[in-house]
Amino acid sequence: AQSVTQLDSHVSVSEGTPVLLRCNYSSSYSPSLFWYVQHPNKGLQLLLKYTSAATLVKGINGFEAEFKKSETSFHLTKPSAHMSDAAEYFCVVSEGGNRDDKIIFGKGTRLHILP
Amino acid sequence: DGGITQSPKYLFRKEGQNVTLSCEQNLNHDAMYWYRQDPGQGLRLIYYSQIVNDFQKGDIAEGYSVSREKKESFPLTVTSAQKNPTAFYLCASSITGGPDTQYFGPGTRLTVL
């Protein structure tokens, strides 16, 4: 059975410093992995997606994530945080490659940016 | 201007009343989803539909109902049987489902008084 764990419910960083949001998954098959961002009272927006191509995935707004099969991790990083990055971030896993595959959302990590 | 819309943005209802949340997409996507979001719990799947006139229960379908009579529309009814309906409701669509990217609407915040 697949699952996804976001290891931190809240992360605070200073503006201009690196961001690391951690995500671990479990999956019996080759998963598709996503990171979505949600600003307050808004819908979710796709940041980036991994689907068994390059293990380092680049997304929008300077974010990237690395798929590490040996560690079952898909951590989200950004070299330098900006105030506009303050939001909630969701790691998502979809097992296999079929339309019937279940999609599992992590519980989210709220990113706070300190001035 | 393609996208997915939800209305209304805020909705207030008295306890015991049914209420219907609207979700429309003009992306020509086959799959549509309804999620409920509560603080600290992430998104939980209520119902999903992969094709017109067909839909499946998600993890928390009790107290909710849906219909999919048209490809572009997937309304959600919150019935009086739903014990704790106050929440933020998000609708999403994807091309075919499964590992496809989901596109989200702006959400409806339902408050039951």
Coordinates of all heavy atoms in Angstrom, one line a residue, chain A residues 5 20 35 39 49 51 96 108:
Chain A
T5 N 4.6 10.7 3.8 CA 4.8 11.3 5.1 C 5.6 12.6 4.9 O 6.7 12.6 4.4 CB 5.5 10.4 6.1 OG1 4.8 9.2 6.2 CG2 5.7 11.1 7.4
L20 N 14.2 23.6 2.8 CA 14.2 22.1 2.7 C 12.9 21.7 3.3 O 12.6 21.8 4.5 CB 15.3 21.5 3.4 CG 15.3 19.9 3.5 CD1 15.3 19.3 2.2 CD2 16.4 19.4 4.4
W35 N 4.8 17.7 -6.0 CA 4.7 18.8 -4.9 C 3.7 19.8 -5.4 O 3.9 20.3 -6.6 CB 6.1 19.4 -4.6 CG 6.9 18.7 -3.7 CD1 8.0 17.8 -4.0 CD2 6.8 18.7 -2.3 NE1 8.5 17.3 -2.8 CE2 7.9 17.9 -1.8 CE3 6.0 19.4 -1.3 CZ2 8.1 17.7 -0.4 CZ3 6.2 19.2 0.0 CH2 7.2 18.3 0.5
H39 N -1.5 28.7 -1.4 CA -1.5 30.0 -0.6 C -2.8 30.1 0.1 O -3.8 29.5 -0.3 CB -1.2 31.2 -1.6 CG 0.2 31.2 -2.1 ND1 0.6 30.6 -3.2 CD2 1.3 31.8 -1.5 CE1 1.9 30.7 -3.4 NE2 2.4 31.5 -2.4
K49 N 6.8 17.7 -10.8 CA 6.3 16.3 -10.9 C 7.4 15.4 -11.3 O 8.2 15.7 -12.2 CB 5.2 16.3 -11.9 CG 4.6 15.0 -12.3 CD 3.5 15.1 -13.3 CE 2.9 13.8 -13.8 NZ 1.9 14.0 -14.8
T51 N 8.1 11.5 -12.8 CA 7.4 10.4 -13.4 C 8.5 9.5 -14.0 O 8.3 9.1 -15.2 CB 6.4 10.8 -14.4 OG1 7.0 11.6 -15.4 CG2 5.2 11.5 -13.8
G96 N 2.1 3.5 -9.6 CA 1.9 3.0 -10.9 C 1.6 4.0 -12.0 O 2.0 5.2 -11.8
G108 N 0.8 18.0 4.7 CA 1.2 19.4 4.4 C 2.3 19.9 5.3 O 2.4 19.5 6.5

